[in-house]
Amino acid sequence: MSKSYTIPHEVTYYECDINSNMTISSLLAAAILVSEKQSDALGRGSDFVHQLGLGWVITNYQVHIARLPKTGEIVEFTTQATAYNKYFCYRNFWVHSQAGEELVKIESVFVLMDQTTRKLSHVREEVIEPYECEKITKIRRAPAIEKIEQGKTIPYRVRFYDIDGNQHVNNAVYFNWMLDALGYDFLKGNIPEEINIRFDKEIEYGNEVDSCVEIISDESVVKTRHEIRVGGKLCSEANILWKSFEV
Amino acid sequence: MSKSYTIPHEVTYYECDINSNMTISSLLAAAILVSEKQSDALGRGSDFVHQLGLGWVITNYQVHIARLPKTGEIVEFTTQATAYNKYFCYRNFWVHSQAGEELVKIESVFVLMDQTTRKLSHVREEVIEPYECEKITKIRRAPAIEKIEQGKTIPYRVRFYDIDGNQHVNNAVYFNWMLDALGYDFLKGNIPEEINIRFDKEIEYGNEVDSCVEIISDESVVKTRHEIRVGGKLCSEANILWKSFEV
């Protein structure tokens, strides 16, 4: 069993939406923080990785939401690197309530990128060893993402505060573009239950971003399809399953 | 001496910009959190105030920055309601480093707004009494804000996640619009030293926002003037004094 790492987190009002639910972008940002803290604690923080000429990049998230944390709630964020193969590292995150209830589970895929060539690097033993996770040969595939058939497009501009220390748009910001395109009434009345997102291309300051969205709704289910494009090129795509939210 | 209230705060990567400095909007959001916690602790949280048909609105900030908190730094946020008169409540905030150094001081003005009429209410004794702050007759005026003479304007759209539980754009978001309009090179190379901001009108979801900015720079000083307008109407204005930032 690989090492897990847990930190408590008090959900602030500024991490929440108008329904007092923690936003998906804040949830993911707080999850990444706990994995950074684990890496630091194991002597494998970003300095160690950068010094090898490498950087971590997230390629997929699958987010399963039983209930979103609420403003003022104290929850626990836990992470565990579960397995790796030649190119992919698999890491899970969990958010638990104080009563021990599992609120959110996130499955993620990380890769190591060569900082100079911007190409995929194989997973280096010296980076991964302290996490004590299993080496596997199988490649785990996330469920396929359905393409948009008839969508609408909303333009966004990358803002200065959207970019992080790596000079790229932080992954968490993609969710804001995807979700904001759904509009006030949809977001006020619905809450995500399952999110499957893939990140294909990095986005930089100065890029004009198109957030394309399609809402598919029948009696039993509401789902949305999302694409983030820059100059027509696909940078990220997602499918989200929703449930209706009552305050 | 009125009651002060302090909480520790660990600065996360997602509260910081590409230079690892805490952003002004995160700084203000965290400051407001400490005042909310003090109010809750004194039995004067938002529920108490709402039940009187009232809500707090911030009209001014003067921010004095010796140094911005850095990613990973543990700092202390302190707040104290310093005085009030018939209509205005004066509250200070401080951010201190672990070594006790004063990093940031914020002077603020709060008013109580009638939630139905959206008009100013006089300060109610039952709201203010537990803070044990001095009643004064004098009205303290913030320094005048210089108007833009020749500016440029960048349009912004209010996003779903910009609005808070009161259905209005959170004050902290105004800073993102003001500062983002300065552009990458300016923000990468300069850091705010003094900010004087006034909030005149609330902004709602669906509004198209103009962020107007003028940069005034001579050998000795760099300052900027900012206006946030919706449909030509002034909603907020600010002056900022900058110093150059070296990584």
Side-chain angles (χ1 to χ4, degrees), chain A residues 3-5 31-32 34-36 38-39 42 56 58 60-62 78-84 88-94 105-110 128 131 133 140:
Chain A
K3 286 175 184 162
S4 74
Y5 193 88
I32 293 307
V34 60
S35 70
E36 289 190 353
Q38 181 185 37
S39 297
L42 296 174
W56 287 111
I58 297 157
N60 297 79
Y61 285 121
Q62 283 175 262
T78 298
T79 191
Q80 187 174 35
T82 57
Y84 72 105
F88 300 100
C89 296
Y90 303 100
R91 176 179 283 280
N92 287 354
F93 301 89
W94 295 267
K105 180 181 177 184
I106 305 167
E107 298 167 80
S108 69
V109 183
F110 283 64
I128 205 76
Y131 300 93
C133 65
R140 295 180 185 169

Side-chain angles (χ1 to χ4, degrees), chain A residues 156-159 169 202-209 230 235:
Chain A
Y156 291 85
R157 201 172 54 234
V158 178
R159 299 179 183 173
V169 172
E202 293 169 318
I203 298 178
E204 290 170 26
Y205 183 81
N207 287 163
E208 298 281 341
V209 172
V230 172
C235 298

Side-chain angles (χ1 to χ4, degrees), chain B residues 18-122:
Chain B
I18 57 167
N19 291 326
S20 300
N21 289 320
M22 193 170 190
T23 66
I24 303 301
S25 67
S26 294
L27 188 78
L28 270 298
I32 293 308
L33 182 65
V34 60
S35 70
E36 289 190 351
K37 280 182 180 283
Q38 180 184 38
S39 297
D40 287 341
L42 296 174
R44 292 299 178 273
S46 51
D47 287 352
F48 184 94
V49 177
H50 288 166
Q51 154 219 307
L52 297 171
L54 302 172
W56 286 111
V57 171
I58 298 158
T59 64
N60 296 79
Y61 285 122
Q62 282 174 264
V63 187
H64 314 277
I65 301 162
R67 170 170 79 71
L68 285 168
K70 306 289 286 185
T71 307
E73 188 172 0
I74 295 166
V75 293
E76 283 194 336
F77 277 79
T78 297
T79 191
Q80 189 175 35
T82 58
Y84 71 105
N85 51 40
K86 189 171 180 192
Y87 289 106
F88 301 100
C89 296
Y90 303 100
R91 175 179 283 282
N92 287 354
F93 300 89
W94 295 267
V95 185
H96 286 95
S97 71
Q98 281 191 303
E101 179 195 6
E102 184 183 296
L103 304 182
V104 179
K105 181 181 176 183
I106 304 167
E107 299 167 80
S108 69
V109 183
F110 283 63
V111 296
L112 282 168
M113 184 87 91
D114 185 297
Q115 300 284 76
T116 315
T117 63
R118 305 307 295 166
K119 290 206 170 124
L120 205 60
S121 156
H122 66 272

Side-chain angles (χ1 to χ4, degrees), chain A residues 90-144:
Chain A
Y90 303 100
R91 176 179 283 280
N92 287 354
F93 301 89
W94 295 267
V95 184
H96 287 96
S97 71
Q98 281 192 304
E101 177 196 6
E102 184 183 295
L103 304 182
V104 180
K105 180 181 177 184
I106 305 167
E107 298 167 80
S108 69
V109 183
F110 283 64
V111 295
L112 281 169
M113 183 86 91
D114 185 297
Q115 300 283 76
T116 314
T117 63
R118 304 308 293 167
K119 290 209 170 118
L120 205 60
S121 157
H122 65 272
V123 178
R124 300 269 284 267
E125 288 299 329
E126 67 264 48
V127 172
I128 205 76
E129 182 273 329
Y131 300 93
E132 296 178 10
C133 65
E134 189 192 1
K135 184 161 191 175
I136 58 175
T137 49
K138 194 168 161 263
I139 291 175
R140 295 180 185 169
R141 298 204 186 274

